[in-house]
Amino acid sequence: MSGLLQFKGKKMFASLGFLFAILSIARCVPVQQAASRDKVLLVSFDGFRWNYDQDVDTPNLDAMAAEGVKARYMTPAFVTLTSPCHFTLLTGKYLENHGVIHNMWFNTSTGVKMPYYVTQGINSWWDNGSLPIWITAQRQGLKTGSIYFPGGRAKYQGEEVNMKIVEPPIFNYSNETNWRQNIDTVMEWFTVNNLDFIALYFGEPDSTGHKYGPESEQRKAMVSQVDRTIGYLRQRIRESGLEPNLNLIITSDHGMETVIKTNEIHIQTVENFTFSDIQFELLDYGPNGLLIPKEGKLEHVYSVLKNAHPKLHVYKKEEFPKRFHYANNPRITPLLMYSDPGYVIHGRFKVQFNKGEHGFDNEAMNMKTIFRAVGPAFKQGLLAEPFESVNVYALLCELLGIVPEPHDGSLEVLKPLLRECPADGCGNTDI
Ligand SMILES: *[C@@H]1O[C@H](CO)[C@@H](O)[C@H](O)[C@H]1NC(C)=O
Ligand SMILES: *[C@@H]1O[C@H](CO)[C@@H](O)[C@H](O)[C@H]1NC(C)=O
Ligand SMILES: *[C@@H]1O[C@H](CO)[C@@H](O)[C@H](O)[C@H]1NC(C)=O
Ligand SMILES: *[C@@H]1O[C@H](CO)[C@@H](O)[C@H](O)[C@H]1NC(C)=O
Ligand SMILES: *[C@@H]1O[C@H](CO)[C@@H](O)[C@H](O)[C@H]1NC(C)=O
Ligand SMILES: [Zn+2]
C-alpha cells in the first residue's frame, strides 16, 4: 500500500445507545432500542467542475443522480483553493472564520513559505480555532478515517483522526489502481474497523485540468476515469453489504478555468511599482495575491496597483468585498488582490505555465463544483437547486447524529435533500 497507514488507538467510547440504556434504567423508563447509526462516506474529486459530466459519458454519475440527489451545482467558498475549500467542507465555515486562508503556509516576518504538501503537516496552520468534523465526531463517540483528505494530517487541540492514510511527498494522483486500493481500504475500515465516517480524497481531475486545461481531451478522459471509479465504489459498497446503511456524498472543492495567455497581469512591470517597497508577498499562485508594503508605503503601493490592469482587483484589507467572507482574519495581509476569470497574477517573474487554474471569484460559473448524494437518508431522483458549500457540514453532522460546532451554514438549506422522517424520528437523531 502506498502511503502510511496509521491507526490511532483511542480510549474506548461507550456507545450512545448503551449510555441511553443505562440512563433509561436509572430513571425507570422503558428501554428503547436505539436506532443503529448509519455511516457516511464523503468523497472529494479535486477540481471537478459542475458541468464536467455534460461533455463526457458518465453512466455511473448518472445512475447515482437517478437513485439519489444531484445539485445543479455547488458554490465553493472563496478563495477557491484546495485546502481552504476542503476545510470549509469539514468545518462549515468560511475561510475568514476557519483560518486556512491559502494552500501555502507562510510567515510574514521571515518571508518563509511552504508548499501544499508541507503545509498539510503544519498543525498550527490548520488548528486555528475550528475543529473539523472528524474530531467533533470522535469526541461524541464515533470512529472516523481519512484517506489523503486535506486537513487529515494535522492535529487539532492535540487530537487527530482515528485512522488515516497520508500520500507520500512525491505522488502520482492519477493512478487508477491506487484509487481502487483506497476504495477497498475504505470498505475494510467500515466493515472490519467499524468506522462511522470516512473522508476520501482524489487529486483528479484537478491535476489534469491544470496541466492540459479544462476543455482538453485529457480532462475528458480523466472524467471518464472518475466515473469508472464511482462505478467501482458503488459496486464495492453493495458487495460489502453497506448499501442499506451508508450515505455516500460525492463532491469537490472548486471548478477550473482556462488560463488566458494574452495581456497578462505582471506586477513587476506595473509603472511606478517596485518590489523594494514590499516587505512580504505571496504571488504567483493563480489569481490571488497577498502583500505587505514596507512601513509608510501602503498608500503608494495601493495607488500604483489599484488601476494597473483592468482584470486586476486590489483592495485594502478593510475594503475587501464582504461577500467573499475572506479578508476578516488576522492572517490576511494589509493589501490583497484577485483577478478576473482566466487571468493569473505574475509577481517578479513569470513562473506560471498551467493551462487551467482556479482560485477565482466563487460566483464565476467555472468555479462552481459538484454535489451528489445517495443512501438511506437521501431522496431519490431529486435535482436540487444550487447551494453554498458551507452548508455541507451541518448535513454531515445531521447524517451522523452528532452535535455540530458553531458554523456559518444551515441545515435548513439542505433539509430538502433528505427523505421525510417517520413520526418517531429520523434514524440517528432518534437516540
Ligand atoms: C514567524 O517568525 C517569527 C520570527 O522567527 C516568529 O517570532 C513568529 O512566531 C512566526 N510566526 C508564525 C505564525 O509562525
Ligand atoms: C490563528 O493563527 C494566528 C496566526 O496565524 C494567531 O495569531 C491566532 O492566535 C490563531 N488563533 C487560534 C485560535 O489558534
Ligand atoms: C501516473 O500514472 C499513470 C498510470 O497509472 C500514468 O499513465 C501517468 O503517466 C503517470 N503520471 C505521471 C506524471 O507519472
Ligand atoms: C499505481 O499504484 C499501484 C498500487 O498502489 C502501484 O503498485 C503502481 O506502482 C502504481 N503505478 C504507477 C505508475 O505509479
Ligand atoms: C509614476 O510616477 C511619476 C512620477 O511621480 C508620475 O509622473 C506618473 O504619473 C506616475 N504614473 C502612474 C501611472 O502612476
Ligand atoms: Zn483543489
Side-chain angles (χ1 to χ4, degrees), residues 271-272 303-304:
E271 192 177 342
N272 293 345
S303 70
V304 298

Side-chain angles (χ1 to χ4, degrees), residues 41 147 181-191 198 200:
L41 174 57
I147 298 184
Q181 273 185 354
N182 287 343
I183 287 169
D184 293 344
T185 301
V186 166
M187 296 306 128
E188 189 182 313
W189 286 2
F190 276 134
T191 56
I198 300 173
L200 170 63

Side-chain angles (χ1 to χ4, degrees), residues 119-144:
T119 301
Q120 294 298 316
I122 302 178
N123 294 332
S124 61
W125 184 245
W126 296 90
D127 185 17
N128 197 230
S130 300
L131 288 179
I133 189 166
W134 295 302
I135 308 302
T136 303
Q138 285 169 197
R139 287 182 178 181
Q140 295 178 42
L142 276 63
K143 292 202 279 187
T144 73

